[in-house]
Amino acid sequence: GDSVTQMEGPVTLSEEAFLTINCTYTATGYPSLFWYVQYPGEGLQLLLKATKADDKGSNKGFEATYRKETTSFHLEKGSVQVSDSAVYFCALSLKTGNQFYFGTGTSLTVIP
Amino acid sequence: DARVTQTPRHKVTEMGQEVTMRCQPILGHNTVFWYRQTMMQGLELLAYFRNRAPLDDSGMPKDRFSAEMPDATLATLKIQPSEPRDSAVYFCASGLSPKAGEQFFGPGTRLTVL
């Protein structure tokens, strides 16, 4: 079935470190891919998205590239800040419907 | 600034009581989702609606949970009777269908059942 697998956390990094959170997917069709972020006490909010192969989504210094050949959508940031501490969710949505499949979430803590 | 609203934000109740959670989706959105988030299970899809019709509620315990959309501006999730294992944060999200696209999440209702 359709699913998303993401790197387990928690992840702890020092400020200005490089971040990678891995995400791979399984889908029967050609999904759109998303990264959502959840700050403490809040709902999920869209961080970035990509709708077709080789697209790169980017926002707030975060990037992810839709790789069809490796079925991956890894999240990267070159220099994390304390304010990036949150839980990050990878997700996919099939174009045949509107149902989303979320990963289990990866908790990131950035220490000064 | 359009956003999904949920009420109440926090609810503490005793086992056996009825709980009703409400959601106002973003105006114009035709798809509404209910999720439950716990530390153990993560984010679980309970039900979703398109154009007010339930499309999938397979993630919802049918004996005690019910979800409805009385009109396009209101979605409700009811638990009757509530149990301690229902304690979780319940999120509502809305979006546009049938195109695959972004879901907009509300702030959640934190439910504690004693």
Side-chain angles (χ1 to χ4, degrees):
Chain A
D2 305 302
S3 65
V4 169
T5 301
Q6 68 180 98
M7 174 176 147
E8 292 203 11
V11 175
T12 302
L13 294 173
S14 297
E15 205 164 22
E16 299 184 4
F18 184 84
L19 169 71
T20 299
I21 301 178
N22 290 338
C23 171
T24 57
Y25 68 90
T26 302
T28 52
Y30 299 95
S32 294
L33 301 173
F34 305 82
W35 277 101
Y36 279 78
V37 58
Q38 184 180 29
Y39 299 104
E42 298 183 11
L44 281 69
Q45 53 187 276
L46 181 68
L47 181 60
L48 52 85
K49 65 180 180 182
T51 58
K52 61 182 187 297
D54 300 324
D55 270 1
K56 177 186 284 188
S58 61
N59 186 25
K60 299 180 181 179
F62 291 88
E63 293 183 340
T65 301
Y66 189 140
R67 302 281 188 202
K68 185 179 176 184
E69 63 276 12
T70 55
T71 61
S72 65
F73 192 56
H74 304 321
L75 181 68
E76 296 181 336
K77 186 174 185 181
S79 175
V80 294
Q81 305 300 312
V82 172
S83 57
D84 294 326
S85 298
V87 180
Y88 293 81
F89 292 87
C90 186
L92 73 81
S93 177
L94 299 176
K95 293 179 175 64
T96 54
N98 209 43
Q99 188 167 1
F100 268 53
Y101 298 87
F102 283 92
T104 53
T106 301
S107 175
L108 170 66
T109 301
V110 180
I111 53 178
Chain B
D1 185 22
R3 58 183 66 190
V4 176
T5 58
Q6 290 186 247
T7 57
R9 292 295 312 277
H10 302 273
K11 176 73 175 179
V12 179
T13 190
E14 293 190 348
M15 183 173 62
Q17 296 298 304
E18 178 178 302
V19 175
T20 298
M21 290 169 271
R22 294 177 174 80
C23 167
Q24 182 171 8
I26 292 174
L27 189 64
H29 282 185
N30 63 346
T31 311
V32 172
F33 303 81
W34 283 104
Y35 293 92
R36 175 170 63 183
Q37 186 177 42
T38 61
M39 289 294 293
M40 293 300 295
Q41 300 296 325
L43 195 64
E44 303 172 276
L45 177 67
L46 297 175
Y48 75 94
F49 294 76
R50 184 185 299 164
N51 297 323
R52 296 175 55 200
L55 287 193
D56 186 353
D57 61 1
S58 59
M60 205 164 63
K62 302 288 191 309
D63 56 337
R64 299 184 299 109
F65 284 59
S66 63
E68 295 179 346
M69 280 201 75
D71 61 61
T73 64
L74 176 64
T76 62
L77 180 66
K78 290 186 181 180
I79 308 175
Q80 168 62 11
S82 58
E83 298 181 1
R85 59 180 168 151
D86 301 329
S87 297
V89 181
Y90 291 81
F91 289 104
C92 173
S94 70
L96 283 171
S97 178
K99 291 183 179 180
E102 178 182 354
Q103 290 189 8
F104 295 79
F105 280 75
T109 294
R110 181 174 294 277
L111 174 65
T112 302
V113 183
L114 303 175

